[in-house]
Structure formats: C-alpha cells, structure tokens
C-alpha cells in the first residue's frame, strides 16, 4: 500500500541492520548447524558423523540432562526475581509522589556494572571465611544453623548463582513495566475504586490486562536471556561442585574450549537456539490463550 518511493526508503533503512543481523547472528547459527554434523577437534580434518552428536546428546550424555535441569531451575529463579521483583517495584513506584528518579537509578545501577565485578561482589557476599553478608545477617538474627558455604553446598549453589543474575536485571524490567503502568488510563482505576474495588482487583482486572503486551515482551526477554546465561555462573563456580551449577551454556563452553570437541559443542549451541525458540513459542501461546479467556 506504500508508494514506490516509500517502499524504496523502507528497504534502504532496513537493509543495513538486516545485513548486520544476518552476519552477526544468522550466519554463526548456520555454521554451528553445519559443524554439529561433524566430529572435529579444531586441528585435524573434520569427520562427517551425521546426527550422531544429537543422538549422543539426547540418549547417551547424562551430563547434558543434568545441565538442562539446572538451566530450567536457573531460568525459574531469574524470572521470579526479575519479573516478580520488577513488577513489585514498578507498582510501588507508580504510587509514589517523590523520589521516583532516585529509586529508578539505584535499581538500574547493577545492569551497567561489569559481570566480573558482580561475580566478585557475590563471592564475598556468600563467603564463609571471612564471613560474608548472608552468613553475617543470618548470625545476627539468630539463624546460625542456616549458615553454610553457599557456593560449595550442592543444595544451595544453583540458587546462589541464579540470584545475582536475577538481581542484576530487576531494574531494567522494572523501568519497562513502570512505563506501561503509568500509561494505564487513571480514570478506569478511579471508577473501579468508586465501585468498591480494592487495590488487588484494580490491578488484576484493569492494570494488568492493559500491560499484558508489555508483560509478554519482558517475559520473552527475560526467558531467552536466562536460557543464554553464562558469565556469572561460570565466574562464581565454573559449574561446580560437580555439575551442581553446570548450565547448558557453560557445558557447551567447556566442551568446545576444554575438551576441544567443537562438533558436539556446536550441537549444544544448536540446542540452545532451539530451546529459546520453543520457549518463546510456548510463552506467546500461553499468554494469548489467557488473553482470549
């Protein structure tokens, strides 16, 4: 429906970013897909193995399934902290009359801090000797029995490496959700309040339906980013103890650069892409079904 000149303008503006996206994202994915069909150590000639890497990943590699379950737990903790925390803080911000900008800046600061600095920070927070912040607070309130080496205990290490990632991005999702909340027509909430609706009913039946598209976008962003999470867990524990905090991403990295099995590492990379696409599809279908209901 656009005139020819407008179509040409659209093509000229879209072509550079699309070419850049194809070179930076689509081309490496295609290369990984091809390499996953080979066995290669990075030095000798590549040997074509077909789908053997995928068969081994799904049926013969117990470490992969352990890392996959760890990844699901990691994603769940990150989503609760990032989306739940972001929604709570955004709702509180929307009710404030002063100090909003200061609070937004404070919550956004972790997102611009280096991941290495965050890893070192939480390494000290979880420390036992010298006593870190977490164990110090537990001892101060009389919960000495809960003190433990959080990054060395197989029962707590996954939550311990997931928390910094969740905390880091609360501010970003808080700002996005806050922008959506303040765009909700205020007269609807006021009318519902006059009809006797409490704060929960106003949020559930008025505010949240209005921000549902934004909520879907932030959920997709948080989920895909958590599925690709790598740096903080790797820096904190390197996947240990054992495989208690090993994620698919850290396992892929070790397979490629420690075991020099680039073919199987490419198979794991393809799996990460596929699970991100599946997660996005499931989220869109689930939230659309709820919206239609």
């Amino acid at each position: 429906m656009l005139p020819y000149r407008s179509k040409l303008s659209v093509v000229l503006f879209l072509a550079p970013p699309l070419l850049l996206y194809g070179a930076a994202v689509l081309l490496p994915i295609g290369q990984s897909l091809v390499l996953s069909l080979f066995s290669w150590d990075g030095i000798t000639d590549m040997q074509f193995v077909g789908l053997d890497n995928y068969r081994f990943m799904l049926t013969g590699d117990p470490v992969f399934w352990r890392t996959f379950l760890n990844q699901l737990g990691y994603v769940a903790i990150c989503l609760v902290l990032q989306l739940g925390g972001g929604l709570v803080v955004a709702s509180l911000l929307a009710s404030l009359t002063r100090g909003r900008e200061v609070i937004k800046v404070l919550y956004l600061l972790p997102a611009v801090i280096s991941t290495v600095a965050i890893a070192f920070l939480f390494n000290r927070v979880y420390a036992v000797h010298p006593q870190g912040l977490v164990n110090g607070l537990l001892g101060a309130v009389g919960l000495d029995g809960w003190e433990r080496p959080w990054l060395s205990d197989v029962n707590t290490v996954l939550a311990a490496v997931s928390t910094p990632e969740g905390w880091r991005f609360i501010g970003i999702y808080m700002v996005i959700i806050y922008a959506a909340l303040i765009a909700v027509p205020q007269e609807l909430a006021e009318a519902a309040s006059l009809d006797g609706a409490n704060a929960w009913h106003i949020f559930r039946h008025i505010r949240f339906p209005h921000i549902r598209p934004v909520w879907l976008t932030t959920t997709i962003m948080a989920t895909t980013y958590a599925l690709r999470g790598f740096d903080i867990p790797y820096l904190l524990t390197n996947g240990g103890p054992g495989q208690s905090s090993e994620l698919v991403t850290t396992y892929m990295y070790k397979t490629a650069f420690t075991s020099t099995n680039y073919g199987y590492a490419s198979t794991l990379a393809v799996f990460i892409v596929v699970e991100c696409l599946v997660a996005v599809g499931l989220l869109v279908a689930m939230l659309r079904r709820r919206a239609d209901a």
Side-chain angles (χ1 to χ4, degrees), residues 261-280:
N261 188 348
Y262 293 100
Y264 188 53
S266 298
T267 304
L268 296 171
V270 172
F271 174 82
I272 293 171
V273 174
V274 171
E275 71 174 348
C276 288
L277 293 176
V278 171
V280 170

Side-chain angles (χ1 to χ4, degrees), residues 3-293:
Y4 175 77
R5 185 171 297 177
S6 297
K7 291 180 180 179
L8 182 61
S9 299
V10 170
V11 171
L12 289 177
F13 278 106
L14 286 180
L18 288 177
L19 290 174
L20 182 61
Y21 179 79
V25 178
L26 299 181
L27 180 59
I29 291 175
Q31 290 176 329
S32 296
L33 183 60
V34 172
L35 190 55
S36 68
L37 303 176
F38 291 83
S39 175
W40 187 44
D41 60 4
I43 300 175
T44 59
D45 294 335
M46 293 190 297
Q47 297 180 355
F48 182 77
V49 296
L51 299 177
D52 286 353
N53 286 328
Y54 292 94
R55 190 177 299 111
F56 175 71
M57 178 183 70
L58 296 175
T59 61
D61 187 1
V63 176
F64 164 75
W65 288 110
R66 177 68 184 273
T67 62
F68 177 65
L69 294 177
N70 289 344
Q71 192 88 48
L72 294 181
Y74 179 84
V75 170
I77 295 172
C78 287
L79 290 183
V80 169
L81 291 175
Q82 293 172 357
L83 298 182
L87 181 60
V88 170
V89 176
S91 300
L92 294 175
L93 273 179
S95 64
L96 293 178
T97 57
R98 61 178 62 183
R100 292 178 180 177
E101 302 305 321
V102 175
I103 295 176
K104 283 192 286 186
V105 169
L106 291 176
Y107 272 94
L108 277 171
L109 277 178
V112 299
I113 299 176
S114 166
T115 53
V116 176
I118 292 176
F120 275 111
L121 171 65
F122 274 86
N123 196 27
R124 296 300 301 271
V125 168
Y126 293 133
V128 178
H129 300 293
Q131 192 176 61
L133 178 63
V134 174
N135 288 328
L137 289 176
L138 291 174
V141 298
L143 297 176
D144 307 70
W146 288 22
E147 295 181 21
R148 65 192 65 223
W150 300 91
L151 295 176
S152 303
D153 190 330
V154 296
N155 298 313
T156 61
V157 64
L158 184 60
V161 300
S162 305
T163 301
E165 186 73 25
W167 165 80
R168 181 187 179 197
F169 290 110
I170 287 177
I172 291 180
Y173 301 114
M174 175 268 295
V175 170
I176 297 173
I177 296 170
Y178 170 74
L181 284 175
I182 62 176
V184 177
Q186 189 62 28
E187 56 270 18
L188 295 178
E190 293 174 353
S193 180
L194 291 174
D195 289 338
N198 57 33
W200 167 246
H201 290 133
I202 292 174
F203 173 80
R204 180 182 177 185
H205 297 290
I206 296 177
R207 290 199 169 97
F208 191 77
H210 273 81
I211 69 170
R212 192 183 298 274
V214 176
W215 183 258
L216 172 61
T217 302
T218 53
T219 303
I220 291 174
M221 291 171 57
T223 301
T224 54
Y225 197 91
L227 286 171
R228 295 179 288 116
F230 167 78
D231 42 6
I232 291 180
Y234 183 80
L235 290 168
L236 280 176
T237 63
N238 196 22
Q243 282 91 36
S244 300
S245 61
E246 192 84 84
L247 306 179
V248 180
T249 50
T250 59
Y251 184 44
M252 175 195 68
Y253 178 86
K254 292 179 181 179
T255 302
F257 299 106
T258 302
S259 303
T260 62
N261 188 348
Y262 293 100
Y264 188 53
S266 298
T267 304
L268 296 171
V270 172
F271 174 82
I272 293 171
V273 174
V274 171
E275 71 174 348
C276 288
L277 293 176
V278 171
V280 170
L282 291 175
L283 286 171
V284 171
M286 180 178 63
L287 292 176
R288 282 183 177 175
R289 183 176 300 176
R290 288 186 179 181
D292 295 336

